[in-house]
Amino acid sequence: MLMIKVRKDLCCGTRLCIKAAPGVFRLDTEGYNKSDGQPVAQGKEDLARKGAAVCPESAIELVEASDR
């Protein structure tokens, strides 16, 4: 299972992740990514990678997590 890890101290709120990967990431009321710790829905892994790749601050990391 792929998990989203967001460095909130690096997120600058450009919203490029949302534009590149609609339905994968969530934003808070101020426009910053609040998806930290959330799993990527099955079938959306490629979109999640695309969204993470366009982050100008490299604030998004995708990590493999085991199903326990």
Side-chain angles (χ1 to χ4, degrees):
M1 175 187 308
L2 200 59
M3 301 291 288
I4 300 169
K5 194 164 174 70
V6 178
R7 290 270 317 266
K8 293 180 183 183
D9 60 319
L10 294 179
C11 179
C12 60
T14 63
R15 301 180 177 121
L16 293 176
C17 55
I18 294 288
K19 293 175 186 174
V24 174
F25 301 102
R26 299 177 314 152
L27 301 179
D28 65 16
T29 58
E30 295 178 4
Y32 294 96
N33 192 319
K34 69 171 189 176
S35 304
D36 190 44
Q38 299 296 309
V40 175
Q42 189 173 3
K44 301 264 184 178
E45 296 89 356
D46 287 341
L47 272 179
R49 288 183 186 95
K50 183 178 177 184
V54 300
C55 179
E57 302 298 333
S58 299
I60 303 168
E61 181 182 0
L62 301 174
V63 295
E64 287 291 336
S66 62
D67 289 335
R68 293 183 198 201

